[in-house]
Amino acid sequence: MNRVFSELPVSVFEVMSRLAREHEAVNLGQGFPDGAGPEDVRRKAAEAVVDGWNQYPPMMGLPELRAAVAGHYKHWQGLEFDPDGEVMITSGATEAIAGALMALIEPGDEVVLFQPLYDAYLPLVQRAGGVPRFVRLQPPHWRFTEEMLAGAFSHKTKVVLFNNPLNPSCTVYPREDIELLARFCVQFDAVAVCDEVWEHVVFDGRAHIPMIGLPSMRERCVKIGSAGKIFSLTGWKVGFVCAAPSILRVLAKAHQFITFTTPPNLQAAVAFGLGKADDYFIGMRGELQASRNHFAAGLRAIGFPVLQSQGTYFINVDLAPLGLNEDDETFCKRLVAEHKVAAIPVSAFYAMEPITSVVRFCFAKRQTTLDAALERLAGALRHVGVS
Ligand SMILES: Cc1ncc(COP(=O)(O)O)c(C=O)c1O
């Protein structure tokens, strides 16, 4: 058996989901919204199943969806992509990341990863033969410096896998940080695989800055997006990859033998959705921002030190200032058993030297769900003398 997968322990995500079911907890661990998603987009998918094409679509994705992706990024991010040579549709961002790593890495190549990191990254890098080099980010700002990058990049670096906005730290990186990372990519001749699935879920008027938009990065960047996050339909698993033709050509070979294609009906619905009026996207952000504000205020009122959530469906609390004598995982296990709220310890997103004081909650839930959670959380800090 392959060691990368056979030696993977049961993840904290699975443990927390099982505990949430056992204790009938309000589950703010998993990252999906409890709304149904935009009805017009779902109806398009239903129509496309009943009246549309249900056989293999083109390997690169439906032409109408590739055109919609290019049009969407031009409108929202000022980017120019040729839908025929620079856009490919995948079965979710995860397939795009797996394909990009398979296509770009030779065994022994180094891959720079930022901790905390999305759980799929490390096994996929290792399975592709890559050697991880970590940049360790920490609260409260989770930003990286020139010195940190200098410690991770080397002449063996082939790829940097960069998630912005970053889950789970909820950081939307400013231009200066992206420019700094780009300078390292150019200096070490590395390709940036940019996981931008949260690009539309940004708050407080922040702008998402796509790295591929920097002139020096246009030919050395893979931009990855996901309809799941844009339309709050996380089960759909429709991803987009944009890259210069010389890179996309090789990524397409990996995609050809991983999934080959993605359900045509969902592709048709996403093509429709990407062309929706600006109101939808702005409204979606506004609703999530209101949920974030509501939940953050509730957490603060209870006494939790809340970290800034600049984007994503999540918000973190840092237990360190409370002087608790337990780590984030112990705290989460106690929280679900005693207070019936499930959350995720952020240490689970570190492969080494974890930060052990930060706990992540998903606020992309109805207000009644958030209020039920806050009511249960009210007693959670009493034993440390807070509130
Ligand atoms: C950073 C990041 N990348 C990728 C994904 C997965 O995207 P998809 O469902 O399109 O595969 C997620 C989902 O939560 C994510 O947070």
Side-chain angles (χ1 to χ4, degrees), residues 92-94 118 121 163 167 195 197-198 226 229 237:
T94 311
Y118 185 61
Y121 291 176
N163 174 213
N167 170 24
D195 176 348
V197 299
W198 296 104
S226 173
K229 308 295 191 244
K237 303 294 280 189

Side-chain angles (χ1 to χ4, degrees), residues 193-254:
V193 174
C194 296
D195 176 348
E196 301 187 353
V197 299
W198 296 104
E199 59 198 340
H200 264 295
V201 190
V202 294
F203 307 131
D204 309 311
R206 281 192 175 75
H208 167 70
I209 297 167
M211 201 175 197
I212 201 167
L214 304 187
S216 62
M217 293 305 289
R218 185 64 176 79
E219 302 293 318
R220 56 171 72 252
C221 213
V222 176
K223 173 177 171 60
I224 295 174
S226 173
K229 308 295 191 244
I230 297 179
F231 299 108
S232 307
L233 296 165
T234 57
W236 276 25
K237 303 294 280 189
V238 178
F240 337 120
V241 188
C242 300
S246 57
I247 296 182
L248 195 67
R249 201 171 41 76
V250 187
L251 264 61
K253 300 284 181 199

Side-chain angles (χ1 to χ4, degrees), residues 65-103:
L65 178 52
R66 283 184 277 127
V69 169
H72 188 81
Y73 284 140
K74 182 170 171 57
H75 176 69
W76 284 95
Q77 297 176 7
L79 301 171
E80 299 273 357
F81 294 117
D82 168 10
D84 293 325
E86 295 189 311
V87 180
M88 179 170 76
I89 308 308
T90 56
S91 292
T94 311
E95 194 230 329
I97 296 162
L101 293 170
M102 283 187 192

